[in-house]
Amino acid sequence: MSTAAERSATEAPPILRVEGLNARIAGQQVVEDVSFTVPATGITALLGRNGVGKTSTIKAIIGLIDRAGVVELAGERIEKEATFKIIQRGVGYVPEDREVFSELTVAENLRLAERDAAPRRQLVEELFPDLLARSGQMAGTLSGGQQQMVSLARALLNTNKILLVDEPTKGLAPKIVGEVAETLAEAARTVPILLVEQNLHVVRQLAEGVVVLSGGRVVHTGRALDFLDDARLIQRHLGVSSDTASHGETAAEPAQKGAAL
Amino acid sequence: MSTLVLLLFTGLGLGALYFLVAAGLSLIYGLMGVLNFAHGAFLTLGAFTGWEMARRAGSDNWGVFLLSLVIGAAAGAAFAAFTEFVLIRRLYQRHIEQVLVTLGLSLAAVALFDGTWGTDPVYIQGPAWFKDTTDILGARVPNDRFVCIVAALLVLLALVFFLKKTRYGMIIRAGVENRSMVTALGIDVRKAFTLVFTIGGAAAGLGGVLASHYFGYVSPMLGGSLLIFAFIVTVIGGLGSLTGAAIAAVAVAVLQQFANFYLGGTGDFVVVLALALVLLFRPTGLLGRTA
Ligand SMILES: Nc1ncnc2c1ncn2[C@@H]1O[C@H](COP(=O)(O)OP(=O)(O)OP(=O)(O)O)[C@@H](O)[C@H]1O
Ligand SMILES: [Mg+2]
């Protein structure tokens, strides 16, 4: 990314502002006084150990779980709105575990997601030619990777102000992980993304900023590389040395730094 | 042999009625998780308005009968839409309250029907052809059975077409599977809720008019007695599955008829036994989704 892009990202008003967000599930506080912003360009990673409330934070933003606090999308308050209205404002949501409709065909899954008058079918067909070939197949019979393509395609069909993407590489083979990362990088050229991701290689490759959660609270925000290169921060907030966190792929430089520390 | 055939067609006719009630119940539960105890009241209202209209029109010809079907379906649909919009809409996710409200509504409706039309059964007349019989393999099958069967088949086909081929049908199928993901695609699923209630009410209202011809009378208790078996059908078929409801409706009704005739009137007992077996060995129902 050019420095110009970085500068505009810091200077332009954020696309998403979360202030003092609280959410509970079944009486348990899962998001606690969370505040952060997502710049209007590029990819911001939302990180944290398992169960710290990343998914809950995203669900609270779009009202899938009860929440309180301030949520601003493009300068407008949305925290009291119904989920479908928030989405219609221009939010693309790619849930953890894909959540394709298994008893609908691939084509039906995509048609259901079309919000715009002129949905970008052609773009989706180019990005995921495989889906076109399987348009009549029940989405429940697709492989995990193919289901993730459907889930991503549903979000990319429409013009959005922001994409909320929850662990898109979860459980995918390395080759597919690469493809998903490429797709996200491509999408990020036109739409900002808030990305939950466990694979730190992917985070390094894609993200410009990071927001780190622990126990339902924000414990770190900043530039992605600063965080990824700080083995102590990674150890403290993610509980791993940075090379094991990246699924044992070729050791990246933070691993060497970690060894040095 | 002729007894067998007669029992079969009587069972199929009854199964058709069960299906018309169970179709709505199953879709409503599948999409919204609402156990709608007021569904029998939709049916009874349909039966009474259909009969009232036919009585005023003062003739028993086919035109009046067909119009009474339309009127009965419309009455059921209107009552159901009202129920969803005024009562249920405020209570989504609050299942105990839903049960209380729909149960209360069904009791209130029966009282209202009592007050309006009296507690005694009202005997009704359809086109003369209904009481004629058709000879099938030596069995003399009353024609009203065929009317019920054909009407239920048409409703089944229309519903399948609606669910498979229209956008709202797609929303409903998706919503039965994962309602919150439908809203997370920017779709106002509440419209689908109202629609499903309306469609379910129409099918029940239609079923009410048909039931009044099948049994030969209308009474304020008509809906309640069919509702019990429709619930059983819904559970056996798999909550939320239309095809499951259709198969289970026929199976339950035919089983009931045969047990009543061959096992000394134990039809209801056998049906409950079948329900217990399904719950034991296949708790999701015949075509219910697992997990
Ligand atoms: N439906 C639920 N009922 C009860 N507790 C829940 C429910 N959903 C989430 N939680 C709890 O909320 C907390 C936060 O969960 P959340 O899914 O947001 O974590 P996460 O950071 O996304 O984790 P992961 O990395 O494993 O996806 C966890 O402690 C979890 O057990
Ligand atoms: Mg999660």
Side-chain angles (χ1 to χ4, degrees):
Chain A
M1 279 294 145
S2 70
T3 50
E6 273 174 26
R7 219 179 313 122
S8 78
T10 47
E11 281 167 13
I15 188 67
L16 182 74
R17 192 171 74 84
V18 175
E19 185 79 47
L21 185 67
N22 286 283
R24 1 179 102 247
I25 300 176
Q28 187 201 346
Q29 183 108 17
V30 291
V31 178
E32 213 172 330
D33 197 22
V34 162
S35 303
F36 64 89
T37 59
V38 178
T41 58
I43 296 181
T44 304
L46 183 59
L47 305 178
R49 301 181 203 207
N50 290 127
V52 296
K54 305 180 295 294
T55 298
S56 303
T57 300
I58 291 205
K59 285 187 172 176
I61 289 170
I62 57 173
L64 279 177
I65 56 178
D66 285 336
R67 76 289 200 203
V70 177
V71 183
E72 244 178 44
L73 178 68
E76 292 179 55
R77 302 279 289 264
I78 59 167
E79 72 270 4
K80 296 228 153 48
E81 258 176 31
T83 300
F84 77 92
K85 287 206 174 129
I86 296 175
I87 300 294
Q88 283 173 359
R89 283 173 174 272
V91 177
Y93 173 52
V94 181
E96 191 174 9
D97 302 320
R98 294 110 201 193
E99 302 202 30
V100 299
F101 299 103
S102 60
E103 284 168 42
L104 268 57
T105 64
V106 170
E108 286 176 328
N109 266 277
L110 299 181
R111 233 183 309 135
L112 196 64
E114 291 177 357
R115 299 195 313 264
D116 295 355
R120 296 181 290 186
R121 296 191 185 128
Q122 207 180 342
L123 171 86
V124 164
E125 284 167 13
E126 281 163 17
L127 281 173
F128 311 113
D130 211 22
L131 295 186
L132 191 61
R134 297 177 179 278
S135 62
Q137 191 175 336
M138 287 294 157
T141 64
L142 294 173
S143 76
Q146 290 160 346
Q147 290 189 6
Q148 191 56 265
M149 302 300 166
V150 172
S151 197
L152 282 166
R154 288 193 302 202
L156 297 177
L157 268 169
N158 304 292
T159 311
N160 286 306
K161 294 196 177 85
I162 187 172
L163 299 183
L164 307 174
V165 184
D166 196 349
E167 298 206 33
T169 67
K170 188 173 170 184
L172 301 184
K175 181 168 174 291
I176 314 286
V177 170
E179 287 175 20
V180 167
E182 253 171 58
T183 306
L184 290 173
E186 181 69 28
R189 288 150 58 116
T190 54
V191 61
I193 300 177
L194 179 62
L195 171 70
V196 177
E197 180 55 68
Q198 302 281 10
N199 182 328
L200 293 186
H201 277 316
V202 172
V203 175
R204 176 177 290 277
Q205 184 188 342
L206 295 176
E208 279 140 50
V210 289
V211 176
V212 186
L213 295 182
S214 181
R217 293 169 167 279
V218 175
V219 289
H220 177 91
T221 55
R223 281 163 37 93
L225 287 181
D226 293 346
F227 178 76
L228 292 171
D229 287 344
D230 189 330
R232 241 182 6 168
L233 274 181
I234 288 190
Q235 175 65 39
R236 169 150 21 113
H237 295 314
L238 304 183
V240 285
S241 63
S242 43
D243 58 335
T244 51
S246 50
H247 296 216
E249 289 176 18
T250 48
E253 47 174 345
Q256 291 154 10
K257 281 197 181 172
L261 278 164
Chain B
M1 182 64 189
S2 70
T3 315
L4 221 68
V5 173
L6 184 61
L7 283 173
L8 183 68
F9 276 95
T10 304
L12 285 174
L14 188 61
L17 298 178
Y18 289 167
F19 169 73
L20 288 172
V21 185
L25 274 185
S26 190
L27 283 179
I28 288 171
Y29 184 85
L31 184 65
M32 296 165 247
V34 175
L35 274 179
N36 181 27
F37 283 93
H39 215 76
F42 303 166
L43 180 141
T44 313
L45 182 70
F48 270 119
T49 47
W51 163 74
E52 186 71 47
M53 178 264 143
R55 183 176 68 90
R56 282 167 198 238
S59 74
D60 310 321
N61 62 38
W62 277 92
V64 170
F65 169 69
L66 291 177
L67 192 61
S68 75
L69 286 181
V70 174
I71 301 270
F79 190 8
F82 170 84
T83 304
E84 194 280 339
F85 204 75
V86 175
L87 298 173
I88 305 290
R89 174 152 293 200
R90 281 148 238 282
L91 299 174
Y92 280 118
Q93 317 295 353
R94 291 162 62 185
H95 297 295
I96 308 280
E97 285 92 334
Q98 288 165 356
V99 167
L100 293 177
V101 158
T102 58
L103 206 55
L105 181 63
S106 74
L107 296 176
V110 169
L112 190 70
F113 299 147
D114 280 348
T116 313
W117 286 290
T119 47
D120 296 333
V122 183
Y123 293 92
I124 66 156
Q125 293 249 302
W129 183 80
F130 282 15
K131 290 299 153 217
D132 287 350
T133 57
T134 299
D135 212 72
I136 296 179
L137 299 171
R140 295 159 61 81
V141 182
N143 289 330
D144 54 18
R145 310 304 190 245
F146 302 119
V147 177
C148 291
I149 295 166
V150 168
L153 276 176
L154 290 177
V155 168
L156 175 61
L157 286 178
L159 281 175
V160 167
F161 177 85
F162 167 74
L163 286 173
K164 292 271 180 217
K165 298 292 176 196
T166 68
R167 179 165 175 89
Y168 264 107
M170 192 162 75
I171 291 173
I172 290 165
R173 277 185 293 140
V176 166
E177 195 180 321
N178 184 347
R179 193 174 55 204
S180 68
M181 192 59 218
V182 173
T183 68
L185 292 178
I187 295 164
D188 182 4
V189 82
R190 287 172 312 178
K191 285 189 195 149
F193 292 177
T194 314
L195 190 63
V196 162
F197 253 87
T198 309
I199 291 172
L206 187 79
V209 178
L210 292 169
S212 65
H213 287 281
Y214 180 94
F215 295 115
Y217 68 89
V218 198
S219 95
M221 307 307 287
L222 187 63
S225 53
L226 279 169
L227 183 67
I228 296 169
F229 291 105
F231 265 124
I232 294 176
V233 161
T234 309
V235 173
I236 291 181
L239 291 159
S241 166
L242 190 69
T243 326
I247 294 169
V250 169
V252 164
V254 170
L255 191 67
Q256 202 176 13
Q257 293 302 316
F258 275 79
N260 269 339
F261 190 82
Y262 290 111
L263 302 174
T266 55
D268 295 358
F269 173 74
V270 168
V271 166
V272 173
L273 195 68
L275 174 68
L277 289 176
V278 167
L279 285 177
L280 269 178
F281 295 107
R282 211 179 150 79
T284 55
L286 299 178
L287 295 186
R289 290 162 12 84
T290 41

